[in-house]
């Protein structure tokens, strides 16, 4: 039971890390630059698409984990991989502290998902009993 809850929290953390990467990349580290650093908003445009994909996968993983389906662990791994791809994409725009904290969230989510895939009991789906067949 605790493993499922830990994976739900890790999935929420991956989604939050994806959003925080977008926010940190769109705001420059030094405030002297201002809006002229990215006047057309290309950073926000091209980083919002991976963030949306990661968030959609994280939300579907969250739903699967709440329903206790094994697919939630796989979707959590995909969301963490998407967040890691985004970290590689934005590594020059992020501060070191933020990049390390996002990396730690990704590593924790991957470890919890792998442990969940190996050890978590999965609820069996209920099957209706088959009706008796007539004698042939």
């Amino acid at each position: 039971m605790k493993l499922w809850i830990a994976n739900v929290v890790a999935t929420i953390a991956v989604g939050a890390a994806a959003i925080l990467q977008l926010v940190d990349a769109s705001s420059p580290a030094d405030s002297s630059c201002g809006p002229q650093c990215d006047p057309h908003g290309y950073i926000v445009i091209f980083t919002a698409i991976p963030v949306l994909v990661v968030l959609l996968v994280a939300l579907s993983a969250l739903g699967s984990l709440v329903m206790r389906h094994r697919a939630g662990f796989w979707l959590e791994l995909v969301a963490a991989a998407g967040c890691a791809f985004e970290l590689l994409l934005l590594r020059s725009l992020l501060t070191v502290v933020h990049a390390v904290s996002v990396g730690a969230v990704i590593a924790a989510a991957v470890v919890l998902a792998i442990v969940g895939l190996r050890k978590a009991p999965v609820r069996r789906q209920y099957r209706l009993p088959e009706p008796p067949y007539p004698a042939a």
Side-chain angles (χ1 to χ4, degrees):
M1 180 68 172
K2 292 179 184 177
L3 187 60
W4 292 97
I5 296 170
N7 275 294
V8 166
V9 171
T11 305
I12 292 171
V14 166
I19 292 172
L20 289 176
Q21 283 183 22
L22 175 65
V23 170
D24 196 26
S26 62
S27 60
D30 58 341
S31 59
S32 64
C33 186
Q36 59 268 24
C37 289
D38 188 23
H40 302 293
Y42 290 128
I43 292 175
V44 175
I45 292 169
F46 290 119
T47 58
I49 294 170
V51 168
L52 288 176
V53 171
V54 168
L55 287 178
L56 287 175
V57 172
L59 281 175
S60 59
L62 197 62
S64 293
L65 286 170
V66 167
M67 292 187 300
R68 294 193 183 184
H69 291 286
R70 191 172 290 273
F73 297 120
W74 288 106
L75 287 171
E76 183 182 357
L77 283 174
V78 171
C83 194
F85 172 72
E86 186 183 346
L87 180 63
L88 288 176
L89 191 70
L90 301 174
R91 69 180 179 264
S92 62
L93 300 173
L94 300 177
T95 60
V96 175
V97 174
H98 188 75
V100 169
S101 63
V102 169
V105 166
I106 292 169
V110 167
V111 166
L112 283 171
I114 290 173
V115 168
L117 279 171
R118 295 186 59 141
K119 294 187 177 186
V122 180
R123 190 176 1 171
R124 298 212 182 262
Q125 291 184 353
Y126 178 73
R127 294 185 104 184
L128 294 172
E130 291 189 24
Y133 294 106

